[in-house]
Amino acid sequence: MRNERYSFKRDLQYWIRQAEEADAEKLAKVRRQIDGETENLDREQGEEYIDSLGFKELIKKDAETNCNLFLVAEAGLDIVGFSRCAGSRLKRKSHQVEFGVGVRRDFWGHGIGKSLLKESISWAEANEIVKMTLSVLETNSTAIQLYQKFGFEVEGVLKKDKLLSDGRFYDTILMARFNA
């Protein structure tokens, strides 16, 4: 994958590139931060924590297979977001990947999530991935609209799937995009 440069709102310049083992410490910190900034993700801050060694192993594993893609968004010297497509080596599931993304709250609105999604879709198409899947909280209308804009469609709904801080249960929407 080539390095890409994106420049969006408020003159922020950032790059989307493949994660490297040297990113592991920054990724551990930024993932923990992102988990604490929104309830749109599955984890609360500190849950399912991955330390820098865990990220090094994950990045190394992803680099050794053609069914995974781990991207980072970098602004200056900071990692401000990341995405991952996780596939399977199982023959019956080798045609699909699951997409996940996280962007620091102070960088929302700059198109970083959109750029990570676009790069992931390009990678999936180039690698003949037939299906990209993702899950999104029903209240995250901004993300749902973005995914629909890029050809994702609703495949199902997991009712009362997440319990949020307001004490209410919310549905998770399962979406997929099919490549020709």
Side-chain angles (χ1 to χ4, degrees), residues 61-107:
K61 178 185 129 194
D62 286 355
E64 292 171 352
T65 180
N66 63 351
C67 63
N68 294 344
L69 176 68
F70 198 148
L71 298 175
V72 295
E74 193 171 54
L77 299 175
D78 292 331
I79 291 177
V80 298
F82 59 88
S83 69
R84 187 163 181 259
C85 290
S88 174
R89 293 180 189 232
L90 299 175
K91 189 171 185 172
R92 292 180 181 164
K93 295 190 61 90
S94 64
H95 66 286
Q96 64 180 312
V97 294
E98 182 175 2
F99 174 78
V101 64
V103 177
R104 283 179 25 194
R105 180 183 289 271
D106 52 335
F107 286 88

Side-chain angles (χ1 to χ4, degrees), residues 57-172:
E57 291 172 7
L58 186 61
I59 292 164
K60 183 179 178 188
K61 178 185 129 194
D62 286 355
E64 292 171 352
T65 180
N66 63 351
C67 63
N68 294 344
L69 176 68
F70 198 148
L71 298 175
V72 295
E74 193 171 54
L77 299 175
D78 292 331
I79 291 177
V80 298
F82 59 88
S83 69
R84 187 163 181 259
C85 290
S88 174
R89 293 180 189 232
L90 299 175
K91 189 171 185 172
R92 292 180 181 164
K93 295 190 61 90
S94 64
H95 66 286
Q96 64 180 312
V97 294
E98 182 175 2
F99 174 78
V101 64
V103 177
R104 283 179 25 194
R105 180 183 289 271
D106 52 335
F107 286 88
W108 288 2
H110 290 281
I112 294 171
K114 179 180 178 179
S115 297
L116 288 163
L117 178 61
K118 284 170 62 175
E119 285 296 318
S120 296
I121 289 170
S122 293
W123 169 84
E125 289 174 345
N127 285 280
E128 299 179 356
I129 302 296
V130 174
K131 181 179 182 179
M132 289 181 72
T133 65
L134 58 84
S135 61
V136 59
L137 195 62
E138 68 175 307
T139 57
N140 194 349
S141 58
T142 302
I144 293 167
Q145 290 172 7
L146 175 67
Y147 298 140
Q148 288 173 330
K149 180 179 174 183
F150 280 90
F152 284 82
E153 57 190 69
V154 174
E155 282 200 306
V157 177
L158 301 175
K159 296 192 180 287
K160 295 186 178 185
D161 189 51
K162 302 238 173 39
L163 174 63
L164 299 185
S165 63
D166 64 3
R168 295 180 48 213
F169 289 96
Y170 291 87
D171 297 347
T172 296

